[in-house]
Amino acid sequence: MNNDFTAALGRAMEHTRAGNPAEATRLIQAALTGAPAPAAKAAPPAPSVKPPAKAPIEDAEIISETPPRRGPMAGFAMPSGLAQANGVDLQQMLGKLGAMAPQGLNGLPQGLAGLPQGLPGSGKTPAIPEGARYETRHFTSKHGARDYRLFVPSSLPNGLKGLILMLHGCTQNPDDFACGTDMNGHAERHGLVLVYPHQSRAHNAQGCWNWFRPEDQRAASGEAALLAALAREVRAEFAVPEGAVYAAGLSAGGAMAATLAATHPELFAAVGVHSGLPHGAAHDMPSAFAAMRGQPNGGVPKTQGSVRMIIFHGSADATVHPSNAKALFTATGAGAHGKPRRETGTTKANRSWSRDIVKTPDGKVVVEAWSITGAGHAWSGGSPDGSFTDPSGPDASAEMVRFFMG
């Protein structure tokens, strides 16, 4: 099914680029329903496009629909006549591919004809407090290699308080993610080192962490092992205290943070998952799309509650269904500690939210799950300087730091 699905999307993309939306729609409809793809006419050859040259981490070219701050779907520009061809909302479907596209799309063309290129914030560098360090580095291990950004706060009279591995979402890069979350400012105030690994387009066509592939969901292989090794190296370099290493991510990055909690509970004391999915929610591209739509593909393995978790999800997320937040909550095994206590509130921007809190008998908070009314696929409380942010709040960055250090 994986190969059939990928092939169908590839043929549909060829017809789209060649100006034949009806044929593209016919192929995608068959792929989404799981039916055998109808015989299709060959698409006219599309003009050859030279692949973009590789760029340094701060100038990485990103495919995007130039999204507004509330999420990646609104404002998606489609070729004329394609968005509602044959009653299928291809605008929404292809927008999801661009926002959180699995590795299976690597064989597809780099971008769609007629779509604007570039991403707000992709050329920006986040504000750096005077005396702080913000460096570009490279990490190599037996599990692979990645570039990364490193933030070190300016003043540490009492030593470092912890380290956070920050995992960006699809189509983002470290600078964009740092701008949107404003996590550098929080790290400066609280004495935290930040590591922003860069998932380049060489490793995934849309710059997504490969959270859905079995080889990247294991402790001893793939991206989970690579990221854990990176965190260990930086922890050792800066003598970060034991039990003070954390991970946080958005979308595909959030899903990978959940995987790190499951695969490396001895390393990560807590994780933050924003608009993500549970570890093991998918095992290939078709199951990844199903999980994103809120259609589970079997049981999600429990993490036994060994790693504390804070979860954020918008109730109007059209890219990763909000039911994934509930699945994350269940997978932590928090129910063994009793029923959650629910709190509600409203931000200054009149955005309402609720959160379910579970504590151990001795009062330690093990899980917090925030549901943000009306929010889409975007970092809650983020800065408009980055992509996929919703400044209406609540402030996910501040709440994650508070949770990690609590």
Side-chain angles (χ1 to χ4, degrees):
M1 182 178 181
N2 188 11
N3 292 335
D4 291 343
F5 193 85
T6 304
L9 285 177
R11 292 198 303 273
M13 198 71 75
E14 290 172 3
H15 282 283
T16 299
R17 296 171 68 233
N20 189 359
E23 186 65 23
T25 300
R26 197 163 65 101
L27 290 165
I28 291 173
Q29 282 178 317
L32 290 177
T33 59
K41 298 177 182 178
S48 60
V49 179
K50 259 184 124 179
K54 289 185 179 179
I57 191 169
E58 62 269 25
D59 296 318
E61 183 184 1
I62 296 173
I63 291 177
S64 170
E65 63 277 17
T66 312
R69 300 308 166 199
R70 289 181 179 265
M73 303 308 300
F76 186 70
M78 293 292 297
S80 176
L82 178 58
Q84 295 295 333
N86 291 344
V88 175
D89 190 356
L90 296 183
Q91 173 174 333
Q92 185 181 48
M93 192 204 70
L94 291 174
K96 289 182 180 181
L97 299 186
M100 197 174 180
Q103 178 72 27
L105 295 178
N106 271 345
L108 299 185
Q110 298 296 302
L112 292 175
L115 298 190
Q117 302 295 306
L119 183 69
S122 62
K124 294 183 179 179
T125 300
I128 310 301
E130 185 177 356
R133 292 159 52 191
Y134 188 64
E135 305 171 352
T136 300
R137 291 184 169 194
H138 184 76
F139 174 73
T140 301
S141 76
K142 65 180 181 181
H143 306 294
R146 295 293 188 278
D147 290 331
Y148 68 98
R149 288 287 208 185
L150 175 75
F151 175 85
V152 182
S154 61
S155 178
L156 300 168
N158 300 316
L160 284 170
K161 295 296 191 298
L163 178 155
I164 306 177
L165 190 71
M166 294 290 295
L167 303 174
H168 63 73
C170 299
T171 77
Q172 295 181 312
N173 66 16
D175 288 343
D176 180 29
F177 197 40
C179 286
T181 61
D182 190 30
M183 193 61 85
N184 289 358
H186 294 284
E188 172 71 10
R189 290 187 289 275
H190 293 280
L192 299 168
V193 167
L194 302 178
V195 178
Y196 296 91
H198 182 212
Q199 180 74 331
S200 75
R201 300 269 288 280
H203 301 100
N204 181 287
Q206 299 292 332
C208 311
W209 297 101
N210 294 301
W211 56 275
F212 55 92
R213 300 195 312 187
E215 61 268 34
D216 293 305
Q217 298 172 348
R218 301 171 186 144
S221 70
E223 290 176 0
L226 169 66
L227 293 169
L230 170 58
R232 285 193 178 97
E233 179 171 284
V234 178
R235 179 187 68 177
E237 177 183 352
F238 290 94
V240 174
E242 190 75 22
V245 177
Y246 316 103
L250 171 67
S251 193
M256 187 55 74
T259 286
L260 291 174
T263 57
H264 295 84
E266 78 290 349
L267 174 62
F268 295 96
V271 299
V273 180
H274 202 312
S275 309
L277 302 95
H279 167 66
H283 57 272
D284 58 15
M285 187 174 69
S287 60
F289 279 112
M292 289 164 60
R293 292 193 298 264
Q295 301 167 357
N297 298 272
V300 173
K302 291 188 182 298
T303 60
Q304 307 303 324
S306 57
V307 176
R308 300 168 60 239
M309 184 177 293
I310 182 168
I311 304 161
F312 281 83
H313 217 112
S315 68
D317 192 332
T319 301
V320 177
H321 195 275
S323 62
N324 283 285
K326 295 180 181 178
L328 274 164
F329 187 88
T330 300
T332 63
H337 299 294
K339 291 184 177 181
R341 182 183 82 248
R342 173 160 293 189
E343 298 178 351
T344 60
T346 305
T347 67
K348 292 180 180 178
N350 204 32
R351 167 64 57 71
S352 61
W353 53 264
S354 66
R355 65 173 173 174
D356 292 330
I357 303 172
V358 177
K359 296 183 178 181
T360 60
D362 62 359
K364 183 78 169 178
V365 177
V366 292
V367 179
E368 279 189 20
W370 293 68
S371 177
I372 308 160
T373 304
H377 196 66
W379 189 273
S380 179
S383 166
D385 288 336
S387 66
F388 303 148
T389 64
D390 185 347
S392 297
D395 189 338
S397 297
E399 297 295 344
M400 285 187 184
V401 170
R402 185 262 313 158
F403 180 83
F404 291 161
M405 303 185 72

